[in-house]
Amino acid sequence: MRPGSALRVLGVDPGLTRCGIGVVDVERDRRATLVGVTVVGTTAHEPLDARLLAIAEAVEAWLDRFEPEVVAVERVFSQMNVSTVMGVAQASGIVIAAAAKRGIPVALHTPSEVKAAVTGSGRADKAAVTRMVMKILRLESAPRPADAADALALALAHAWRGSAPGSPSAAGRTTAMTATALTPAQRLWQEAEAKSRRGR
């Protein structure tokens, strides 16, 4: 059971071959706790519809099981090759649709945004990101494969970049979430942000 003040974020590192899914609880003081992490794998030998179905079923199961306040997904970026872009976009669409069906807001973050939020450098390599994820979540071993650590990094980055519900950067974003629709955890985040701004 999550602490009453914690924001639960489900992060997804989308991909057809390996789709990382990670859930963290983040307190108002930024202390983060691992809730769960997994990687959904499919092979290129499987039909596309079967691969997408496997990802959809896994994501929906995790959304229903862990009931996150928000979902953070890696944004497709132009440096990828065409086949990779298509796979990431297809997997991302599955995740976004599953969250939308449940009324859960979705945030998109680029890899450089995630690296900067977690390590302090937008050019950090995967090893550096994994080390910081381990340190932040107080893990004794690294989540494997790397897609698992990336999913957790996405969730942490969302909470830490000031894009959590109720924060200044989220205030101007158009979403289906209104003040009256906020969950108790989201309202606590909003109140904490307001107190922080008043204390500056």
Side-chain angles (χ1 to χ4, degrees), residues 146-163:
D147 310 83
D150 289 344
L152 293 170
L154 272 154
L156 292 168
H158 177 77
W160 284 10
R161 280 180 57 85
S163 50

Side-chain angles (χ1 to χ4, degrees), residues 93-141:
I94 292 291
V95 176
I96 293 168
K101 185 165 66 174
R102 291 160 176 76
I104 303 172
V106 175
L108 302 176
H109 299 286
T110 66
S112 60
E113 289 173 344
V114 173
K115 292 174 183 177
V118 174
T119 72
S121 170
R123 297 183 178 182
D125 60 17
K126 283 185 175 291
V129 171
T130 298
R131 286 195 299 271
M132 286 306 299
V133 166
M134 289 177 61
K135 181 177 180 180
I136 293 165
L137 294 174
R138 304 172 301 285
L139 305 179
E140 294 183 359
S141 59

Side-chain angles (χ1 to χ4, degrees), residues 1-4 6 8 25 27 33 35 66:
M1 182 178 296
R2 84 188 74 171
R8 177 161 292 181
D25 284 345
E27 301 283 349
T33 302
V35 177
F66 294 106

Side-chain angles (χ1 to χ4, degrees), residues 11-21 40 55 59 72-76 80 84-85 87-95 108-109 147 150-151 154:
V12 181
D13 181 36
L16 287 180
T17 302
R18 291 184 304 276
C19 182
I21 306 172
V40 182
I55 294 170
V59 169
V73 183
E74 182 177 287
R75 184 188 296 273
V76 178
M80 294 178 175
T84 302
V85 165
V88 170
Q90 289 165 334
S92 296
I94 292 291
V95 176
L108 302 176
H109 299 286
D147 310 83
D150 289 344
L154 272 154

